[in-house]
Amino acid sequence: MAAKVVTVAFEGVEARRVDVEVQLTTGQQVFVIVGLADKAVAESRERVRGAFAGLGLALPGKRIVANLAPADLPKEGAHFDLPIALAVMSAIGVIPLDALDGWAAMGELSLDGRIVPAAGALPAAMAAGAMGLGLICPEASGPEAAWAGGTRILAPRSLVSLINHFRGAQILSAPAPGPILEGDRPKDLRDVKGQEHAKRALEIAAAGGHNLLFVGPPGSGKSMLAQRLPGLLPPLTSAELLETSMVHSVAGLIARGALSRARPFRSPHHSASMAALTGGGHRAKPGEVSLAHNGVLFLDELPEFGVQALDSLRAPLETGEVMVARANAHIRYPAKVQLVAAMNPCRCGHGGAGRGACGKAPRCQRDYQGRVSGPLMDRIDLAVEMPAVTAADLALPPPAEGSAEAAARVAKARARQTDRALELDVADGLNGRAEGALLEKITALDEAGRALLARAAEAGRISARGWTRTLRLARTIADLEGAASVKRVHIAEALAYRRATTPGEEVTSA
């Protein structure tokens, strides 16, 4: 008879059931793990052997076979240590055979018998609850797993305390969920002098979740403005908090169960590879675009990123998810992000106008900006040209309005979008993701605005995708003004922001 313990294997943020079956048979004394296990799982036998020795236990002098079923599902990670150890202990009578009924388990073992944290406690707890099971996890992961709600959680510090719990000598209490963190204090727009046009674009982008590009010479405030975007965005809703935390849990970024309602803001270096941006690698971990789910992905020095890395973002920006294709599996990660990018007009930084103008213009600008493909530029809703900041700008007093005032207007605009979503019974009412018949319905575009948009399309200034994105942008501009329908003036402003995003059209610095 085989002892069985339930655990999970991760496919993206989804946790799939795995049954760990351990059987003792006569024959050569050996410990075998089967079931398409990777190297970390295969090494579990040595960690289990060491943990048993640390407890003063010895493995039986029999052939031990640990089967991880289903056999065709890839198993990766050290969190299989604990379920394998529990199944072996159940098979040799250290704990009763029926003690583990109704429980799933996950966790890594140290050689002295301690149960140490493993990534993925939150999705594991969610999956266990969906199966009608409780979850046994490391003590340090207990506050994270407790966020799963109705799932029963046991979070022992070591194998000894878990054995004592099942024998009734020591009762483990359920862990409490970790704290909700407010996040770091966001930077204020009052720090940015001048650049009122760019501030207006930043507010529009925040209100509708639109992709944004700043173009300007060094020191013009591109990065400063991007870093102040989180201060304009509302906190994560409960549903968004759970989605985002699931991704961060799989990536091992949640410490002691502490979650944050602040929207993610990820700013990878331009040397990041395609796998680092979109996910992949040996264990197909989530990339920066997934770690920024429901938040902001900021790409500074945009043309300096690898061409393949940038183009790998095209599908996630359109679909809101990343599909990592492997030889034996397709792994999906959510990736609803707001892209904010910054770039210089050319490699020397100053472009073909103003002080320090490039002597190789316009060829230098064309070659430098050509590193960013037209299809990617077509997915950017607002492109803002930022002139150099002058001494006169710096001598001005701080602006009268800061992030608090802009955030209040953004909150009102988003509230209008939420109300429309409830009225129309749609899951995601953010303007930046509206499409099809829904977009036509919420814009209620007047004839003058439609005629202007049609002329822009006929002139080749916008693509078919650009038509949709212009409508989305105009709807957000109207929401900021409290307008019920989209008018010609809103379309005109939206087209002015999209003018530089048309493939093949140059972006110049003022």
Side-chain angles (χ1 to χ4, degrees), residues 204 207-208 210 413 417 431-432 471-480:
I204 294 171
H210 301 286
Q417 296 168 55
N431 290 337
L471 282 177
R472 293 173 179 173
L473 191 57
R475 178 66 265 182
T476 299
I477 295 170
D479 283 336
L480 282 169

Side-chain angles (χ1 to χ4, degrees), residues 420-490:
R420 275 199 304 268
L422 293 174
E423 182 181 340
L424 300 174
D425 193 25
V426 294
D428 190 347
L430 201 63
N431 290 337
R433 301 183 192 128
E435 58 186 2
L438 173 64
L439 180 60
E440 290 287 340
K441 187 172 184 178
I442 66 175
T443 51
L445 186 61
D446 64 10
E447 288 303 318
R450 189 175 297 278
L452 178 61
L453 191 58
R455 286 200 300 272
E458 290 169 1
R461 282 178 49 197
I462 57 172
S463 63
R465 179 185 291 109
W467 177 289
T468 297
R469 289 186 173 270
T470 301
L471 282 177
R472 293 173 179 173
L473 191 57
R475 178 66 265 182
T476 299
I477 295 170
D479 283 336
L480 282 169
E481 293 183 1
S485 62
V486 176
K487 297 180 171 54
R488 186 182 188 279
V489 64
H490 305 136

